[in-house]
Amino acid sequence: MSSPALDTLRRVFGHTAFRGPQAEIVEHVAGGGDALVLMPTSGGKSLCYQLPALLRPGCAIVVSPLIALMQDQVDALRQLGVAAACLNSALDADAASEVERQLREGALDLLYVAPERLLTPRFLSLLERSDIALFAIDEAHCVSQWGHDFRPEYRQLTLLHERWPDIPRIALTATADPPTQREIAERLQLEDARHFTSTFDRPNIRYTVVQKDNARRQLLDFLRGHANEAGIVYALSRRKVEETAAFLRENGVNALPYHAGMPAEVRAANQHRFLREDGIVMVATIAFGMGIDKPDVRFVAHIDLPKSIEGYTQETGRAGRDGEPAEAWMTYGLGDVVQLGQMIAQSDSDEARKRVEQRKLDALVGYCESMACRRQVLLANFGETYPPPCGHCDNCLTPPESWDASLAAQKALSCVYRSGQRFGAGHVIDILRGATSERIRQFGHDALSTYGIGTELDVRAWRGVFRQLVAGGWLAVDVDGHGSLRLTPKSAEILKDTQPVMLRREAPRKPGRASAARNTATTGLDPGSLPRFEALRELRTRLAREQSVPPYVIFHDRTLREIATLHPASLGELAEIGGIGSSKLERYGDAVLEVLAET
Ligand code: ADP
Ligand code: ZN
């Protein structure tokens, strides 16, 4: 590795070493090569183009789909003393022409632009007159129509290659199952580029899936273990977002809603608070999150099922970008599968697309039901093998028990069949358990031969059976009707008793547990360093306010912890700490030492 890259990494970014494949990528792109980079969220993608941008003459043009993302990156780069700017619709005409002037005069190292902007004839001709270091295409999965956030403008980015064949291009994404990977390479004409794939494993995230059973209460229990920590709660609909946020606030959680139906100002204000204040829980639809690279998000909770494993890894990937422990937690039930299946069936998409979506949903349900290590299942979806079980997810920590449910499954299927394949799981369970509801009498279901043959299991256990039968394809949900269940070709396996059906035993219902509130920001700090940490945090808040940037742009928690623990006495010692490059040392070094001297 050439030492200019390492020198710049240390001097400007304050990092001691490259992470994973960064070194190779930087070298390749700085040397003029094209690259396609697949790295999980928080793997450290930005550095792969930011560093070559500093090593090569000219300005790097970074294509990025979201304004919020650009602004954050530019703020962070300026803190490092890098000449960065962005051009987007949020700038007024004067500010925009100032940025254009800087570009022409060669005063910029990096310029972030939205694809719409980039593709205008005006901007392209500006580029013709400027010195370009490289093109970086961030969130490259936006080019794929099977990807979850397809942006048609991305398709036209091949134009960059056609007009500037000698300028290196680097495309980056955190979402890439093998078909999407191939589509990105093809659509961006990057087949000949070097492909860098790093593992999608996120070792600091603990994955947990619980069976849905009063989702709100379950959520509240989960949040008790994360007092005063920032996190995201994902829900499917706008209404559910509003209701959940209100419910959490009533219960003392500092929660804010976010969805596309809110007035733009309110939405922006909530996002702003999430980024700038400590410990906010954002309850949101998936409209929230792309480009949110707040490093200290401690958990991502799903109270509704996401649409695919890619979506799920992308959403949960927003937790723990700083590498500190974080949680991905989800509550899931049969109702979710029915609801999403209906949404797919009733959408305007063509049949091919619906089949793709249904397959993606099936894969996700498979993940939820799996008895194997969660991490192994997730990585298998990206074509990776995770060798030993992780020892850290719910299935590894409390291995689920399986039981021979062959007889129960036969009872379930015959009862579905005898009642005419017109009813949902709730009613069929009532028949099996011999309930005396109005509906049972009305349909004469108390006269069925399957009435009351399933009293050995309680409602909860039966729900688990039905959910798993659907997940395994032994029962289908009629998505056009009201979630009624029907048999499938696969049902014969069970009815003919050809193979035993092993199902996962439902975990016992947890009593409302008040888990010890721990706070990751201060874990691992010895008591003697705690006052220093708090004083440094105050300093950080003040500095962030003065410049109206998020606190983590100044210092990460980890940097503060290291300062508090090592207690440096000079600028030289301070410079040794991870996350402190020369620009931060110069700007904040004295203030930090002063705080340390006083505490
Ligand atoms: P991505 O874009 O892949 O999601 P980022 O580029 O935002 O991830 O990087 C995630 C975090 O990792 C950032 O806080 C960044 O400062 C940090 N990081 C990146 N590279 C290194 C490195 N070589 N050493 C230490 N920290 C790093
Ligand atoms: Zn595991």
Side-chain angles (χ1 to χ4, degrees), residues 105-137:
E105 293 177 356
L108 290 177
D109 294 315
L110 285 113
L111 176 61
Y112 286 78
V113 280
E116 303 80 23
R117 184 77 173 222
L118 175 83
L119 294 162
T120 57
R122 179 183 153 75
F123 189 78
L124 291 171
S125 87
L126 176 65
L127 284 185
E128 295 281 3
R129 286 171 284 134
S130 314
D131 195 8
I132 307 171
L134 58 95
F135 291 109
I137 302 167

Side-chain angles (χ1 to χ4, degrees), residues 41-345:
T41 310
S42 87
K45 282 185 288 302
S46 336
L47 203 83
C48 299
Y49 59 83
Q50 288 170 350
L51 199 48
L54 300 180
L55 296 174
R56 289 178 64 85
C59 176
I61 306 296
V62 186
V63 185
S64 172
L66 270 192
I67 296 176
L69 172 80
M70 292 182 197
Q71 195 55 54
D72 256 30
Q73 295 257 11
V74 169
D75 283 348
L77 284 166
R78 287 189 179 154
Q79 287 289 325
L80 301 173
V82 174
C86 56
L87 263 185
N88 57 44
S89 53
L91 291 191
D92 62 32
D94 284 350
S97 61
E98 170 60 16
V99 171
E100 292 178 359
R101 188 188 60 76
Q102 291 174 334
L103 173 64
R104 267 196 321 273
E105 293 177 356
L108 290 177
D109 294 315
L110 285 113
L111 176 61
Y112 286 78
V113 280
E116 303 80 23
R117 184 77 173 222
L118 175 83
L119 294 162
T120 57
R122 179 183 153 75
F123 189 78
L124 291 171
S125 87
L126 176 65
L127 284 185
E128 295 281 3
R129 286 171 284 134
S130 314
D131 195 8
I132 307 171
L134 58 95
F135 291 109
I137 302 167
D138 207 1
E139 312 285 354
H141 59 274
C142 290
V143 78
S144 159
Q145 68 167 314
W146 302 133
H148 53 282
D149 27 56
F150 176 48
R151 306 265 295 215
E153 320 83 59
Y154 263 67
R155 285 287 168 88
Q156 293 164 46
L157 293 175
T158 47
L159 175 153
L160 298 177
H161 183 44
E162 286 149 14
R163 283 181 66 166
W164 289 275
D166 299 328
I167 307 245
R169 291 175 305 148
I170 169 171
L172 311 103
T173 179
T175 313
D177 54 321
T180 316
Q181 270 170 39
R182 282 193 293 277
E183 202 186 345
I184 294 174
E186 202 177 293
R187 295 279 173 192
L188 293 176
Q189 296 176 4
L190 283 169
E191 289 104 329
D192 297 332
R194 234 179 105 183
H195 292 204
F196 295 89
T197 311
S198 36
T199 172
F200 275 72
D201 188 32
R202 292 290 310 279
N204 61 320
I205 299 184
R206 162 170 304 170
Y207 298 90
T208 303
V209 180
V210 301
Q211 307 313 324
K212 197 174 270 189
D213 170 11
N214 192 344
R216 281 180 171 189
R217 212 210 59 235
Q218 290 176 309
L219 176 65
L220 206 54
D221 276 353
F222 169 71
L223 292 180
R224 287 214 182 96
H226 290 276
N228 304 320
E229 294 183 345
I232 308 173
V233 176
Y234 280 112
L236 200 54
S237 69
R238 297 171 182 188
R239 210 182 87 201
K240 192 140 166 204
V241 163
E242 298 276 359
E243 287 172 0
T244 308
F247 166 79
L248 290 180
R249 294 189 76 84
E250 280 160 26
N251 284 278
V253 178
N254 194 1
L256 294 174
Y258 187 105
H259 59 72
M262 293 164 58
E265 321 81 68
V266 182
R267 211 165 62 207
N270 286 357
Q271 170 163 330
H272 192 79
R273 287 191 54 194
F274 178 73
L275 295 176
R276 305 286 161 102
E277 293 174 26
D278 282 332
I280 294 216
V281 175
M282 189 67 111
V283 185
T285 59
I286 52 168
F288 179 75
M290 214 230 270
I292 298 298
D293 49 7
K294 183 176 165 63
D296 55 354
V297 174
R298 293 272 65 89
F299 62 86
V300 170
H302 282 84
I303 52 173
D304 286 313
L305 203 57
K307 294 192 169 69
S308 65
I309 290 192
E310 293 93 295
Y312 181 65
T313 39
Q314 182 106 16
E315 285 148 35
T316 54
R318 291 172 187 139
R321 295 169 78 101
D322 52 10
E324 309 282 319
E327 282 200 74
W329 178 93
M330 168 154 67
T331 170
Y332 143 87
L334 179 58
D336 291 300
V337 186
V338 174
Q339 189 184 15
L340 281 184
Q342 277 168 343
M343 281 171 61
I344 294 171

